[in-house]
Amino acid sequence: MDNQPITFQFISEPTDVNFGGNVHGGSVMKWIDQVGYACASNWSSSYCVTVYVGGIRFYQPIKIGEIVKLESRVIYTGSTSMHIAIDVYSRNIKEKIFEKKTHCIIVFVAVDENGKSVQVPKWIPTSEQEIQMQEYAIKLMNLRRDIEDEMKPFL
Ligand SMILES: CC(C)(COP(=O)(O)OP(=O)(O)OC[C@H]1O[C@@H](n2cnc3c(N)ncnc32)[C@H](O)[C@@H]1OP(=O)(O)O)[C@@H](O)C(=O)NCCC(=O)NCCS
């Protein structure tokens, strides 16, 4: 199956501002969820819900009025879940080179009309980079399992 990245590009707007004058982290998280949803639904041809959001690292602020680019791709599929890697870039409109601003992994699950999880097509990595990305997703999944008890809500 086709695993072309799903890409969004747009200009960050004044309504995306935070109290410091740059783009609000909440706006970036919303875009990440949207592009991840588009990627997961495209892969599974199904409605999907977010089940897990990995650590999001904001490397540098995104400024208002910059061109923002989000790239998302499947890097691992389980039985009903899809692990989607998302990179966020931005650039000043007058400059040509995008800088990476954020990266994260989101896990989506395909669900039917009753909200019950359903099987997804298997993703098989082909290139060396895809194999490494799949190994990375499996490593993170195992790490999460190891710390799951520690991460349980306090109350
Ligand atoms: C998604 C949902 C239907 C799954 O329910 P379920 O089928 O009973 O859950 P399961 O425990 O069987 O897990 C389903 C898949 O999610 C994966 N999953 C569950 N918890 C996970 C976690 N913490 N991290 C990564 N994957 C996880 C499981 O590994 C499984 O994947 P697999 O089938 O590929 O092996 C249910 O959890 C749900 O409705 N959650 C709310 C989703 C939502 O509203 N999202 C928006 C949040 S604002």
Side-chain angles (χ1 to χ4, degrees):
M1 280 177 77
D2 178 28
N3 186 30
Q4 291 299 313
I6 297 276
T7 304
F8 288 180
Q9 268 198 57
F10 49 86
I11 295 177
S12 55
E13 297 186 31
T15 47
D16 297 315
V17 77
N18 66 13
F19 295 108
N22 293 316
V23 168
H24 200 285
S27 296
V28 180
M29 289 192 264
K30 180 176 148 193
W31 300 332
I32 286 174
D33 198 47
Q34 287 174 336
V35 77
Y37 167 76
C39 184
S41 297
N42 181 60
W43 179 258
S44 60
S45 304
S46 173
Y47 179 62
C48 297
V49 290
T50 316
V51 73
Y52 184 83
V53 182
I56 303 180
R57 168 78 162 99
F58 296 100
Y59 303 120
Q60 292 290 327
I62 297 175
K63 298 195 171 69
I64 301 297
E66 286 191 328
I67 299 185
V68 180
K69 178 169 77 166
L70 291 98
E71 277 183 4
S72 61
R73 67 191 79 221
V74 178
I75 59 165
Y76 174 78
T77 52
S79 168
T80 65
S81 65
M82 293 150 283
H83 296 219
I84 312 291
I86 295 161
D87 291 306
V88 183
Y89 305 85
S90 76
R91 69 171 170 90
N92 183 302
I93 240 158
K94 295 181 208 146
E95 286 159 19
K96 303 297 167 214
I97 297 170
F98 278 103
E99 276 179 46
K100 192 187 282 204
K101 298 297 169 75
T102 304
H103 166 84
C104 83
I105 307 276
I106 304 199
V107 182
F108 285 85
V109 168
V111 294
D112 65 15
E113 55 283 4
N114 300 312
K116 192 176 168 310
S117 46
V118 291
Q119 292 248 329
V120 297
K122 182 97 199 125
W123 176 68
I124 297 163
T126 48
S127 67
E128 189 53 42
Q129 196 197 11
E130 287 181 344
I131 291 166
Q132 283 173 9
M133 290 304 280
Q134 177 167 266
E135 284 169 359
Y136 173 60
I138 292 169
K139 187 174 155 196
L140 289 183
M141 192 165 54
N142 291 336
L143 279 171
R144 269 201 306 274
R145 275 197 193 124
D146 288 348
I147 60 167
E148 211 153 60
D149 270 349
E150 306 293 333
M151 302 268 292
K152 276 193 178 140
F154 208 66
L155 293 171

